[in-house]
Amino acid sequence: MNPTLESVVFASPSVALKVNQLSRDLAKENQLFENQTLNTTIIFKYPNFDAAQAPSEDIIPGLEDFLADKTEKKPIRTAIFVPKDAKDVRLGGFGIFMDDDKFPELSERYLGFKIDKTIRQPDAEKLAILENCPSFDPFLVKEAFDLAGTPIDQSYVTISEEEAQQVRGLIQAKLKPIVAKALNLSHEGKIENSSRQFLETIWDPQAETGAHFIAAFGIGIGDAPKVFSAWKGVAYFDNEFNQRQSESRQLVAWLKSDASSPSDYAKLSTQEKQQIDMFRKSVTSKILNVSNNISLILNRYQQSYRAFIDHDRPKEFQKFLMGAEKYYWTLGGCNGVLAQVIGTWKRYMKAATGTRLNYEVNERMLKVCDAILRARGEDKQIAL
Protein backbone atom coordinates (compact mmCIF):
# COMPACT_ATOMS: atom_id res chain seq x y z
CA MET A 1 0.00 0.00 0.00
CA ASN A 2 1.63 3.25 -1.14
CA PRO A 3 1.64 6.32 1.18
CA THR A 4 -1.08 8.12 -0.80
CA LEU A 5 -3.44 5.12 -0.61
CA GLU A 6 -2.68 4.73 3.11
CA SER A 7 -3.52 8.39 3.69
CA VAL A 8 -6.95 7.79 2.08
CA VAL A 9 -7.76 4.43 3.67
CA PHE A 10 -6.89 5.69 7.16
CA ALA A 11 -8.00 9.30 6.64
CA SER A 12 -9.84 11.21 9.36
CA PRO A 13 -13.63 11.66 9.03
CA SER A 14 -13.11 15.29 8.03
CA VAL A 15 -11.26 14.19 4.88
CA ALA A 16 -12.82 10.86 3.91
CA LEU A 17 -16.38 9.59 3.94
CA LYS A 18 -15.81 5.84 4.20
CA VAL A 19 -19.02 4.80 2.51
CA ASN A 20 -17.73 1.21 2.28
CA GLN A 21 -17.45 0.79 6.06
CA LEU A 22 -20.52 2.81 6.96
CA SER A 23 -22.74 0.93 4.49
CA ARG A 24 -21.58 -2.57 5.40
CA ASP A 25 -24.11 -3.36 8.15
CA LEU A 26 -27.03 -1.34 6.80
CA ALA A 27 -30.10 -2.70 5.09
CA LYS A 28 -30.07 -1.95 1.38
CA GLU A 29 -32.84 0.65 1.68
CA ASN A 30 -30.85 2.59 4.29
CA GLN A 31 -27.58 2.68 2.37
CA LEU A 32 -26.46 6.04 1.02
CA PHE A 33 -26.60 5.12 -2.67
CA GLU A 34 -28.85 3.02 -4.86
CA ASN A 35 -25.78 2.08 -6.93
CA GLN A 36 -24.13 -0.72 -4.99
CA THR A 37 -20.62 -0.05 -6.31
CA LEU A 38 -20.82 3.47 -4.89
CA ASN A 39 -21.57 1.91 -1.51
CA THR A 40 -18.16 0.16 -1.64
CA THR A 41 -16.18 3.37 -2.21
CA ILE A 42 -14.35 5.96 -0.15
CA ILE A 43 -15.17 9.55 -1.10
CA PHE A 44 -12.46 11.96 -0.06
CA LYS A 45 -11.33 15.57 -0.23
CA TYR A 46 -8.13 16.54 -2.01
CA PRO A 47 -6.52 20.02 -1.68
CA ASN A 48 -6.28 21.96 -4.92
CA PHE A 49 -3.53 24.18 -3.51
CA ASP A 50 -0.38 23.94 -1.42
CA ALA A 51 -1.80 23.90 2.10
CA ALA A 52 1.73 23.58 3.52
CA GLN A 53 3.20 26.55 1.62
CA ALA A 54 4.51 29.29 3.89
CA PRO A 55 2.24 32.36 3.77
CA SER A 56 3.53 35.82 3.00
CA GLU A 57 2.36 38.98 4.70
CA ASP A 58 -0.48 39.50 2.24
CA ILE A 59 -1.06 36.15 0.55
CA ILE A 60 -2.49 32.99 2.08
CA PRO A 61 -1.94 29.85 -0.04
CA GLY A 62 -5.15 28.74 -1.70
CA LEU A 63 -6.57 32.25 -1.79
CA GLU A 64 -4.33 34.03 -4.30
CA ASP A 65 -6.53 33.38 -7.35
CA PHE A 66 -9.76 32.86 -5.45
CA LEU A 67 -9.76 36.27 -3.77
CA ALA A 68 -8.67 37.93 -6.99
CA ASP A 69 -11.52 36.18 -8.82
CA LYS A 70 -9.08 34.87 -11.41
CA THR A 71 -10.62 31.43 -11.38
CA GLU A 72 -13.76 29.68 -10.31
CA LYS A 73 -12.02 26.47 -9.27
CA LYS A 74 -12.47 25.45 -5.65
CA PRO A 75 -9.57 25.09 -3.22
CA ILE A 76 -10.64 21.49 -2.62
CA ARG A 77 -11.55 18.77 -5.08
CA THR A 78 -13.66 15.72 -4.32
CA ALA A 79 -12.54 12.28 -5.46
CA ILE A 80 -14.00 8.79 -5.36
CA PHE A 81 -11.74 5.84 -4.58
CA VAL A 82 -13.10 2.72 -6.27
CA PRO A 83 -11.29 -0.31 -4.82
CA LYS A 84 -10.20 -3.24 -6.97
CA ASP A 85 -11.49 -5.54 -4.24
CA ALA A 86 -14.31 -4.21 -2.07
CA LYS A 87 -13.31 -6.63 0.69
CA ASP A 88 -9.69 -5.40 0.84
CA VAL A 89 -9.14 -1.75 -0.09
CA ARG A 90 -5.43 -2.12 0.66
CA LEU A 91 -5.05 -3.79 -2.74
CA GLY A 92 -5.55 -0.40 -4.39
CA GLY A 93 -8.00 0.82 -6.96
CA PHE A 94 -8.84 3.82 -9.07
CA GLY A 95 -9.34 7.41 -7.96
CA ILE A 96 -11.50 9.75 -10.03
CA PHE A 97 -12.15 13.45 -9.52
CA MET A 98 -15.78 14.48 -9.62
CA ASP A 99 -14.99 17.72 -11.45
CA ASP A 100 -13.06 15.89 -14.20
CA ASP A 101 -14.51 16.57 -17.65
CA LYS A 102 -14.47 12.81 -18.17
CA PHE A 103 -16.24 12.03 -14.90
CA PRO A 104 -19.47 10.79 -16.57
CA GLU A 105 -17.42 8.39 -18.71
CA LEU A 106 -15.26 7.26 -15.77
CA SER A 107 -18.32 6.89 -13.55
CA GLU A 108 -19.94 4.54 -16.03
CA ARG A 109 -16.71 2.58 -16.50
CA TYR A 110 -15.66 2.12 -12.87
CA LEU A 111 -18.93 2.52 -10.97
CA GLY A 112 -21.45 1.24 -13.47
CA PHE A 113 -23.31 4.49 -12.87
CA LYS A 114 -24.49 6.30 -16.00
CA ILE A 115 -25.10 9.97 -15.32
CA ASP A 116 -28.14 11.32 -17.14
CA LYS A 117 -28.86 15.01 -16.56
CA THR A 118 -32.22 14.78 -18.31
CA ILE A 119 -33.75 12.80 -15.45
CA ARG A 120 -33.70 13.03 -11.65
CA GLN A 121 -31.05 10.73 -10.20
CA PRO A 122 -30.96 10.57 -6.37
CA ASP A 123 -27.39 9.22 -6.39
CA ALA A 124 -26.18 12.10 -8.56
CA GLU A 125 -27.93 14.57 -6.25
CA LYS A 126 -26.22 13.08 -3.19
CA LEU A 127 -22.83 13.17 -4.92
CA ALA A 128 -23.43 16.85 -5.70
CA ILE A 129 -24.23 17.59 -2.04
CA LEU A 130 -21.00 15.87 -0.97
CA GLU A 131 -18.96 17.66 -3.63
CA ASN A 132 -20.26 21.00 -2.37
CA CYS A 133 -19.05 20.30 1.18
CA PRO A 134 -15.48 21.54 1.77
CA SER A 135 -15.09 18.94 4.52
CA PHE A 136 -16.69 15.68 5.59
CA ASP A 137 -16.87 16.64 9.25
CA PRO A 138 -20.10 14.90 10.35
CA PHE A 139 -21.65 18.16 11.55
CA LEU A 140 -21.14 19.84 8.16
CA VAL A 141 -22.35 16.81 6.17
CA LYS A 142 -25.49 16.58 8.30
CA GLU A 143 -26.19 20.30 7.84
CA ALA A 144 -25.65 20.04 4.06
CA PHE A 145 -28.10 17.14 3.69
CA ASP A 146 -30.63 18.82 6.00
CA LEU A 147 -30.43 22.06 4.03
CA ALA A 148 -30.95 20.15 0.77
CA GLY A 149 -33.91 18.33 2.30
CA THR A 150 -32.29 14.99 1.45
CA PRO A 151 -32.58 12.19 4.03
CA ILE A 152 -29.38 10.44 5.12
CA ASP A 153 -29.03 7.57 7.55
CA GLN A 154 -27.55 8.53 10.91
CA SER A 155 -24.72 6.01 10.34
CA TYR A 156 -23.16 8.34 7.76
CA VAL A 157 -23.23 11.41 10.02
CA THR A 158 -21.81 10.15 13.28
CA ILE A 159 -22.87 13.12 15.35
CA SER A 160 -25.75 13.10 17.80
CA GLU A 161 -28.44 15.76 17.87
CA GLU A 162 -27.05 16.82 21.27
CA GLU A 163 -23.58 17.36 19.76
CA ALA A 164 -25.08 19.26 16.83
CA GLN A 165 -26.96 21.53 19.23
CA GLN A 166 -23.75 22.10 21.18
CA VAL A 167 -22.02 23.34 18.03
CA ARG A 168 -24.99 25.56 17.24
CA GLY A 169 -24.77 26.96 20.77
CA LEU A 170 -21.11 27.89 20.26
CA ILE A 171 -21.98 29.68 17.02
CA GLN A 172 -24.94 31.47 18.64
CA ALA A 173 -22.67 32.77 21.43
CA LYS A 174 -20.52 34.37 18.73
CA LEU A 175 -23.57 35.84 17.03
CA LYS A 176 -25.15 37.62 20.00
CA PRO A 177 -22.85 40.70 19.97
CA ILE A 178 -23.22 40.93 16.18
CA VAL A 179 -27.00 40.87 16.35
CA ALA A 180 -27.01 43.50 19.09
CA LYS A 181 -24.84 45.77 16.94
CA ALA A 182 -26.59 45.14 13.64
CA LEU A 183 -30.07 45.76 15.07
CA ASN A 184 -29.02 48.34 17.68
CA LEU A 185 -30.30 46.31 20.64
CA SER A 186 -29.32 46.71 24.28
CA HIS A 187 -31.88 44.65 26.23
CA GLU A 188 -30.45 41.18 27.00
CA GLY A 189 -33.81 39.46 26.47
CA LYS A 190 -34.25 41.00 23.04
CA ILE A 191 -30.64 40.17 22.12
CA GLU A 192 -31.14 36.54 23.15
CA ASN A 193 -34.40 36.26 21.20
CA SER A 194 -33.03 38.00 18.11
CA SER A 195 -29.80 36.00 18.10
CA ARG A 196 -31.87 32.80 18.23
CA GLN A 197 -33.91 34.05 15.28
CA PHE A 198 -30.77 35.03 13.43
CA LEU A 199 -29.35 31.56 14.06
CA GLU A 200 -32.47 30.18 12.36
CA THR A 201 -31.74 32.48 9.43
CA ILE A 202 -28.19 31.16 9.11
CA TRP A 203 -29.49 27.59 9.09
CA ASP A 204 -32.37 28.48 6.79
CA PRO A 205 -32.02 31.82 4.95
CA GLN A 206 -35.52 31.31 3.52
CA ALA A 207 -37.08 31.48 7.01
CA GLU A 208 -39.59 34.26 7.58
CA THR A 209 -37.37 35.82 10.24
CA GLY A 210 -34.49 36.21 7.79
CA ALA A 211 -35.32 39.22 5.64
CA HIS A 212 -34.45 42.02 8.09
CA PHE A 213 -31.28 40.28 9.25
CA ILE A 214 -30.11 39.82 5.67
CA ALA A 215 -30.85 43.49 4.93
CA ALA A 216 -29.00 44.59 8.08
CA PHE A 217 -25.80 43.07 6.72
CA GLY A 218 -26.23 44.48 3.22
CA ILE A 219 -26.39 41.00 1.70
CA GLY A 220 -28.48 40.31 -1.37
CA ILE A 221 -31.32 37.83 -0.91
CA GLY A 222 -29.85 35.61 -3.62
CA ASP A 223 -26.42 35.55 -1.97
CA ALA A 224 -27.70 34.91 1.56
CA PRO A 225 -27.75 31.07 1.55
CA LYS A 226 -24.17 30.87 0.25
CA VAL A 227 -22.85 33.62 2.55
CA PHE A 228 -24.52 32.33 5.70
CA SER A 229 -23.55 28.72 5.00
CA ALA A 230 -19.93 29.81 4.64
CA TRP A 231 -20.07 31.97 7.77
CA LYS A 232 -21.44 29.01 9.69
CA GLY A 233 -18.55 26.95 8.33
CA VAL A 234 -15.92 29.51 9.29
CA ALA A 235 -17.34 29.67 12.83
CA TYR A 236 -17.30 25.87 12.97
CA PHE A 237 -13.66 25.63 11.85
CA ASP A 238 -12.71 28.39 14.29
CA ASN A 239 -13.95 26.16 17.10
CA GLU A 240 -12.39 23.01 15.59
CA PHE A 241 -8.97 24.64 15.19
CA ASN A 242 -9.00 25.88 18.78
CA GLN A 243 -9.73 22.33 19.96
CA ARG A 244 -7.07 20.81 17.68
CA GLN A 245 -4.24 23.21 18.53
CA SER A 246 -3.17 21.27 21.62
CA GLU A 247 -2.62 18.06 19.62
CA SER A 248 -0.91 19.99 16.85
CA ARG A 249 1.54 21.52 19.33
CA GLN A 250 2.18 18.09 20.86
CA LEU A 251 3.01 16.65 17.43
CA VAL A 252 5.38 19.50 16.58
CA ALA A 253 7.06 19.22 19.99
CA TRP A 254 7.47 15.47 19.43
CA LEU A 255 8.97 16.00 15.97
CA LYS A 256 11.47 18.49 17.36
CA SER A 257 12.48 16.24 20.26
CA ASP A 258 14.75 13.19 20.44
CA ALA A 259 11.61 11.08 20.92
CA SER A 260 10.94 11.31 17.16
CA SER A 261 14.35 9.91 16.23
CA PRO A 262 14.26 6.14 15.60
CA SER A 263 14.85 3.83 18.54
CA ASP A 264 17.66 2.22 16.53
CA TYR A 265 19.15 5.58 15.49
CA ALA A 266 22.67 4.71 16.69
CA LYS A 267 22.77 1.70 14.32
CA LEU A 268 21.77 3.69 11.23
CA SER A 269 24.14 4.65 8.44
CA THR A 270 25.02 8.32 7.97
CA GLN A 271 22.77 8.47 4.91
CA GLU A 272 19.81 6.99 6.81
CA LYS A 273 20.32 9.45 9.68
CA GLN A 274 20.41 12.38 7.27
CA GLN A 275 17.27 11.15 5.50
CA ILE A 276 15.22 10.74 8.67
CA ASP A 277 16.38 14.10 10.04
CA MET A 278 15.46 15.77 6.74
CA PHE A 279 11.99 14.20 6.84
CA ARG A 280 11.44 15.33 10.44
CA LYS A 281 12.39 18.92 9.63
CA SER A 282 10.34 18.98 6.43
CA VAL A 283 7.17 17.60 8.04
CA THR A 284 7.57 19.93 11.03
CA SER A 285 7.94 22.97 8.79
CA LYS A 286 4.92 22.04 6.68
CA ILE A 287 2.70 21.42 9.72
CA LEU A 288 3.61 24.84 11.09
CA ASN A 289 2.81 26.41 7.73
CA VAL A 290 -0.62 24.75 7.60
CA SER A 291 -1.37 25.96 11.13
CA ASN A 292 -0.20 29.47 10.24
CA ASN A 293 -2.43 29.53 7.16
CA ILE A 294 -5.45 28.60 9.28
CA SER A 295 -4.49 31.18 11.90
CA LEU A 296 -4.17 33.95 9.30
CA ILE A 297 -7.68 33.35 7.97
CA LEU A 298 -9.18 33.13 11.45
CA ASN A 299 -7.28 36.28 12.47
CA ARG A 300 -8.90 38.11 9.55
CA TYR A 301 -12.24 36.85 10.77
CA GLN A 302 -11.55 37.92 14.36
CA GLN A 303 -10.16 41.32 13.36
CA SER A 304 -13.18 42.14 11.18
CA TYR A 305 -15.48 40.86 13.92
CA ARG A 306 -13.80 43.00 16.60
CA ALA A 307 -13.74 46.04 14.30
CA PHE A 308 -17.52 45.74 14.07
CA ILE A 309 -18.20 44.95 17.73
CA ASP A 310 -15.64 47.21 19.42
CA HIS A 311 -15.21 50.08 16.97
CA ASP A 312 -18.50 50.28 15.03
CA ARG A 313 -16.81 49.52 11.70
CA PRO A 314 -19.22 47.11 10.00
CA LYS A 315 -17.71 47.37 6.51
CA GLU A 316 -14.72 45.17 7.38
CA PHE A 317 -17.01 42.45 8.64
CA GLN A 318 -19.34 42.79 5.66
CA LYS A 319 -16.33 42.46 3.36
CA PHE A 320 -15.24 39.31 5.17
CA LEU A 321 -18.75 37.85 4.88
CA MET A 322 -18.88 38.46 1.13
CA GLY A 323 -15.63 36.50 0.75
CA ALA A 324 -16.56 33.95 3.41
CA GLU A 325 -17.18 31.11 0.95
CA LYS A 326 -13.60 31.25 -0.30
CA TYR A 327 -12.20 31.42 3.22
CA TYR A 328 -14.49 28.55 4.23
CA TRP A 329 -13.21 26.23 1.50
CA THR A 330 -9.57 27.05 2.19
CA LEU A 331 -10.09 26.47 5.91
CA GLY A 332 -11.70 23.14 5.04
CA GLY A 333 -8.61 22.09 3.06
CA CYS A 334 -6.09 23.17 5.69
CA ASN A 335 -8.14 21.79 8.58
CA GLY A 336 -8.44 18.43 6.82
CA VAL A 337 -4.70 18.23 6.19
CA LEU A 338 -3.93 19.03 9.83
CA ALA A 339 -6.49 16.51 11.12
CA GLN A 340 -5.07 13.83 8.84
CA VAL A 341 -1.46 14.36 9.91
CA ILE A 342 -2.38 14.33 13.61
CA GLY A 343 -4.48 11.21 13.09
CA THR A 344 -1.61 9.44 11.30
CA TRP A 345 0.82 10.25 14.11
CA LYS A 346 -1.59 9.03 16.79
CA ARG A 347 -2.31 5.83 14.85
CA TYR A 348 1.38 4.95 14.50
CA MET A 349 2.19 5.86 18.09
CA LYS A 350 -0.72 3.76 19.38
CA ALA A 351 0.83 0.71 17.72
CA ALA A 352 4.31 1.52 19.02
CA THR A 353 6.07 -0.10 21.94
CA GLY A 354 7.33 2.72 24.11
CA THR A 355 7.64 6.33 22.99
CA ARG A 356 9.90 5.78 19.96
CA LEU A 357 9.49 4.03 16.63
CA ASN A 358 12.13 1.97 14.87
CA TYR A 359 13.65 3.33 11.68
CA GLU A 360 11.44 1.43 9.23
CA VAL A 361 8.15 2.38 10.94
CA ASN A 362 9.35 5.94 11.64
CA GLU A 363 10.27 6.48 8.00
CA ARG A 364 6.94 5.04 6.85
CA MET A 365 4.95 7.35 9.13
CA LEU A 366 6.88 10.42 7.97
CA LYS A 367 6.37 9.44 4.31
CA VAL A 368 2.61 9.15 4.85
CA CYS A 369 2.56 12.55 6.62
CA ASP A 370 4.60 14.05 3.79
CA ALA A 371 2.18 12.60 1.21
CA ILE A 372 -0.71 14.22 3.06
CA LEU A 373 1.08 17.57 3.34
CA ARG A 374 2.01 17.74 -0.33
CA ALA A 375 -1.33 16.44 -1.68
CA ARG A 376 -2.62 18.35 -4.69
CA GLY A 377 -5.62 17.96 -6.93
CA GLU A 378 -3.83 19.14 -10.07
CA ASP A 379 -3.60 15.76 -11.77
CA LYS A 380 -6.34 14.01 -13.71
CA GLN A 381 -5.82 10.80 -11.79
CA ILE A 382 -4.45 9.82 -8.39
CA ALA A 383 -1.97 7.00 -7.91
CA LEU A 384 -3.88 4.63 -5.63
Side-chain angles (χ1 to χ4, degrees), residues 341-354:
V341 171
I342 292 171
T344 299
W345 172 59
K346 291 170 71 174
R347 178 166 56 86
Y348 271 82
M349 293 307 297
K350 188 176 181 179
T353 54

Side-chain angles (χ1 to χ4, degrees), residues 71-335:
T71 177
E72 290 301 314
K73 70 178 182 180
K74 290 174 178 169
I76 306 166
R77 300 177 75 185
T78 305
I80 302 174
F81 168 56
V82 189
K84 293 176 183 176
D85 185 342
K87 294 181 179 178
D88 191 353
V89 296
R90 295 173 299 177
L91 296 176
F94 196 80
I96 51 179
F97 286 114
M98 288 177 59
D99 62 352
D100 190 333
D101 292 339
K102 293 184 178 180
F103 179 68
E105 173 190 329
L106 296 172
S107 173
E108 187 171 3
R109 183 190 307 170
Y110 292 102
L111 297 167
F113 178 48
K114 186 174 183 179
I115 296 173
D116 185 350
K117 295 183 178 180
T118 65
I119 60 173
R120 181 177 178 271
Q121 293 182 300
D123 283 356
E125 291 174 2
K126 290 173 183 176
L127 286 173
I129 293 170
L130 293 171
E131 186 180 15
N132 286 320
C133 288
S135 164
F136 288 145
D137 285 275
F139 174 78
L140 298 178
V141 173
K142 183 179 187 302
E143 292 300 325
F145 274 80
D146 285 350
L147 189 61
T150 302
I152 182 172
D153 192 90
Q154 184 65 30
S155 302
Y156 296 101
V157 284
T158 50
I159 182 171
S160 67
E161 186 58 34
E162 183 181 350
E163 291 172 313
Q165 290 299 330
Q166 185 179 12
V167 175
R168 288 190 180 202
L170 290 168
I171 296 174
Q172 183 178 1
K174 194 79 173 179
L175 293 178
K176 287 174 68 174
I178 294 174
V179 172
K181 278 283 184 182
L183 301 181
N184 196 27
L185 301 175
S186 58
H187 188 275
E188 181 61 30
K190 289 183 177 180
I191 294 173
E192 180 70 26
N193 184 54
S194 293
S195 65
R196 192 178 299 111
Q197 290 179 340
F198 189 31
L199 191 67
E200 291 175 9
T201 300
I202 286 185
W203 258 261
D204 182 7
Q206 306 303 325
E208 293 181 7
T209 56
H212 61 291
F213 289 115
I214 292 170
F217 282 92
I219 298 169
I221 293 292
D223 292 328
K226 179 174 65 176
V227 171
F228 286 155
S229 176
W231 182 9
K232 177 173 59 182
V234 170
Y236 174 80
F237 284 132
D238 188 8
N239 180 59
E240 283 290 293
F241 182 58
N242 288 334
Q243 291 186 342
R244 190 164 283 135
Q245 274 189 306
S246 175
E247 289 182 324
S248 178
R249 291 191 186 107
Q250 288 176 33
L251 172 53
V252 169
W254 180 83
L255 285 165
K256 289 181 175 181
S257 72
D258 290 340
S260 65
S261 61
S263 56
D264 48 354
Y265 189 80
K267 299 178 182 179
L268 302 181
S269 67
T270 301
Q271 184 177 355
E272 288 172 328
K273 289 179 179 177
Q274 289 175 342
Q275 183 175 357
I276 208 78
D277 289 343
M278 177 191 69
F279 259 130
R280 288 167 60 196
K281 290 178 181 177
S282 174
V283 170
T284 302
S285 175
K286 289 175 180 177
I287 290 172
L288 290 172
N289 286 342
V290 173
S291 294
N292 287 339
N293 291 331
I294 295 173
S295 294
L296 279 172
I297 294 175
L298 294 178
N299 285 344
R300 290 186 182 184
Y301 172 51
Q302 296 293 349
Q303 287 168 7
S304 66
Y305 176 86
R306 296 265 50 110
F308 182 25
I309 301 302
D310 298 338
H311 304 291
D312 293 316
R313 298 203 306 265
K315 288 187 178 180
E316 292 178 41
F317 191 65
Q318 288 173 335
K319 182 179 179 182
F320 183 90
L321 285 183
M322 296 312 295
E325 185 182 26
K326 294 164 184 177
Y327 287 117
Y328 175 36
W329 278 84
T330 304
L331 278 173
C334 291
N335 182 73

